[in-house]
Amino acid sequence: MVHRVIPLLDQRNHATQALRSATPVDGPLLDTLHRPLHDLRISVTDRCNFRCSYCMPKAVFDKDYPYLPHSALLSFEEITRVARVAVAQGVRKIRLTGGEPLLRKNIEVLVAQLAALRTPDGQPLDLTLTTNGALLARKAQALKDAGLQRLTVSLDGLDDRIFRQMNDVDFPVRDVLDGLDAAHRAGLAHIKVNMVVQRGTNDHEILPMARHFKGSGNTLRFIEYMDVGATNGWRMDQVVPSREVLQTLQTEWALRPLAPAAPGETAQRWAYADGSGEIGLISSVTQAFCADCSRARLSTDGKLYLCLFATQGHDLRSLLRGDASEDQLAGALQHIWQGRSDRYSALRAALPFETGTGAKRVEMSYIGG
Ligand code: SAM
Ligand code: SF4
Ligand code: SF4
């Protein structure tokens, strides 16, 4: 059966407006498919200093693009308030993203506020950030000092010509690598490097990237190019399935599968048999991981999205800027999550791009990757 996503979200959107108190939940807060709310991704800006063609193509994201005005952005205090409520409802992992999160002024102040949050049993959160690395050399130490524990750096290749072409702002690979070095020096351990693989564009960079990062302490993760947003002109023939990436890697190294580090983990992990580290495969297109998806996304202007491919979010900003109490915010969050049924990737085959919700999907730079 084909699920129509839009009307369902519409109803839930309205329901959010009715303020209600939180009710004690017996066990974890679950959605309609029994998935807990575990991860919160927070987009701190819809702007970026890159124009990756698969995310913010220059032709669309030009000087006339209607980026959000500053007044529309959630303040650090508003973000922290949502995060605090979400943590009380089960969130254990927070990822700051964007757009390019390091463009948000004083981002380390937000990191410090989030790092101070504690779970109901007194544990710190798993707090991480995804960046294109352009400003990392300048920011790494401040982020570490503010309490950031982990980091993901996106890098689509080592070939400088291809990389400059992919970021479309002529940004050199060297500066991202310098950012990675600075992050290591600052003491940010377990850095992940994300490479979106596009057939015919950077698939020849799979082996050079693996050679470079093998044994470096950074975990390279290959991501299937996804049909997110409505502007990147995605085509299935541009996707390099993870199994093909694995076969390519196996031409050079023996690899063995590893068990997931945590439930709901997006990457399949493989270890180099010689003990020199691991790689990750994120098969968002060919092997849907909706069944375990425990992620919610908070957009730059305070809407909560329950799926990367959602067409509408739930407006939390109006609650934050209204007179909603902490308890009412928790009640809204409970209600939103308990009504969640999203599983776009699992339904992708039945809901093709041409006839599906593609034209109305929100951009990844706005809700955060
Ligand atoms: N600007 C930061 C960066 O690039 O790391 C954070 C935001 S970006 C939207 C988050 C992640 O989404 C990046 O690793 C990026 O490569 C990935 N991404 C963006 N568009 C994608 C697409 N169409 N398919 C797969 N991954 C994508
Ligand atoms: Fe910017 Fe990240 Fe999107 Fe590239 S993937 S355009 S760096 S937000
Ligand atoms: Fe989660 Fe939506 Fe992605 Fe499925 S398609 S894994 S529900 S974000």
Side-chain angles (χ1 to χ4, degrees):
M1 188 183 110
V2 175
H3 286 241
R4 288 281 156 217
V5 183
I6 303 169
L8 242 182
L9 283 173
D10 271 346
Q11 280 165 19
R12 282 187 277 148
N13 236 1
H14 291 303
T16 316
Q17 308 309 323
L19 287 181
R20 66 197 72 226
S21 297
T23 46
V25 178
D26 204 12
L29 180 67
L30 299 174
D31 71 5
T32 63
L33 301 174
H34 306 286
R35 298 170 295 189
L37 171 61
H38 187 268
D39 294 12
L40 183 63
R41 298 194 176 184
I42 302 174
S43 173
V44 293
T45 176
D46 60 341
R47 292 164 196 255
C48 190
N49 44 1
F50 283 12
R51 286 293 175 275
C52 308
S53 54
Y54 54 71
C55 178
M56 295 179 75
K58 228 180 205 169
V60 178
F61 293 87
D62 58 10
K63 63 177 177 22
D64 298 323
Y65 186 81
Y67 293 104
L68 293 166
H70 194 261
S71 60
L73 271 53
L74 290 193
S75 67
F76 290 168
E77 285 66 31
E78 288 169 333
I79 291 174
T80 304
R81 208 173 151 210
V82 174
R84 186 180 304 112
V85 169
V87 169
Q89 297 299 320
V91 163
R92 294 293 174 266
K93 180 172 172 184
I94 291 187
R95 179 179 295 281
L96 296 177
T97 177
E100 173 45 43
L102 300 190
L103 285 183
R104 180 84 186 247
K105 211 171 156 212
N106 300 326
I107 183 72
E108 59 278 13
V109 173
L110 175 64
V111 169
Q113 289 179 12
L114 296 173
L117 295 178
R118 290 291 175 269
T119 65
D121 55 356
Q123 299 303 311
L125 300 175
D126 179 0
L127 180 61
T128 182
L129 177 145
T130 304
T131 173
N132 62 25
L135 299 172
L136 191 54
R138 262 179 266 170
K139 284 279 191 181
Q141 192 65 56
L143 292 169
K144 172 68 182 164
D145 294 346
L148 191 73
Q149 297 161 343
R150 298 197 296 116
L151 187 68
T152 300
V153 177
S154 303
L155 180 62
D156 293 332
L158 290 169
D159 177 328
D160 197 51
R161 189 182 61 83
I162 300 293
F163 183 65
R164 286 175 191 255
Q165 202 176 303
M166 287 184 82
N167 62 54
D168 212 9
V169 292
D170 208 27
F171 196 85
V173 170
R174 187 64 255 165
D175 291 17
V176 179
L177 296 177
D178 287 348
L180 273 167
D181 290 344
H184 277 280
R185 279 197 305 277
L188 284 158
H190 311 301
I191 298 175
K192 289 175 182 157
V193 176
N194 276 358
M195 172 181 179
V196 176
V197 186
Q198 254 182 301
R199 193 181 302 284
T201 303
N202 66 340
D203 47 345
H204 60 287
E205 285 288 283
I206 294 171
L207 285 173
M209 284 282 282
R211 281 181 207 126
H212 182 87
F213 288 109
K214 185 173 178 287
S216 69
N218 301 313
T219 299
L220 178 59
R221 306 187 321 161
F222 300 92
I223 306 181
E224 289 179 351
Y225 170 42
M226 284 186 287
D227 49 335
V228 285
T231 57
N232 66 10
W234 180 90
R235 292 196 325 265
M236 187 63 202
D237 62 9
Q238 295 169 305
V239 178
V240 180
S242 291
R243 65 173 181 284
E244 201 178 311
V245 173
L246 183 64
Q247 281 162 4
T248 304
L249 296 172
Q250 284 169 330
T251 61
E252 209 154 306
W253 303 285
L255 289 155
R256 61 178 171 82
L258 290 173
E265 191 173 60
T266 49
Q268 295 161 318
R269 302 163 59 214
W270 290 76
Y272 290 105
D274 63 8
S276 59
E278 63 180 79
I279 57 111
L281 298 170
I282 304 185
S283 320
S284 3
V285 177
T286 60
Q287 276 171 276
F289 34 77
C290 302
D292 292 323
C293 180
S294 52
R295 287 177 293 283
R297 293 177 159 84
L298 185 65
S299 72
T300 317
D301 57 351
K303 293 199 179 77
L304 194 73
Y305 285 83
L306 304 180
C307 176
L308 189 49
F309 299 91
T311 54
Q312 297 212 29
H314 301 263
D315 181 17
L316 295 183
R317 192 185 62 192
S318 61
L319 299 182
L320 290 164
R321 296 190 182 171
D323 54 4
S325 66
E326 214 77 347
D327 189 40
Q328 286 168 326
L329 268 177
L333 189 61
Q334 279 185 349
H335 184 70
I336 293 167
W337 190 260
Q338 283 169 338
R340 176 182 189 246
S341 59
D342 305 64
R343 50 189 187 114
Y344 175 84
S345 291
L347 298 173
R348 184 187 271 107
L351 195 67
F353 187 77
E354 291 77 13
T355 56
T357 57
K360 291 183 183 135
R361 272 183 231 140
V362 289
E363 297 301 325
M364 198 162 179
S365 46
Y366 162 70
I367 56 168

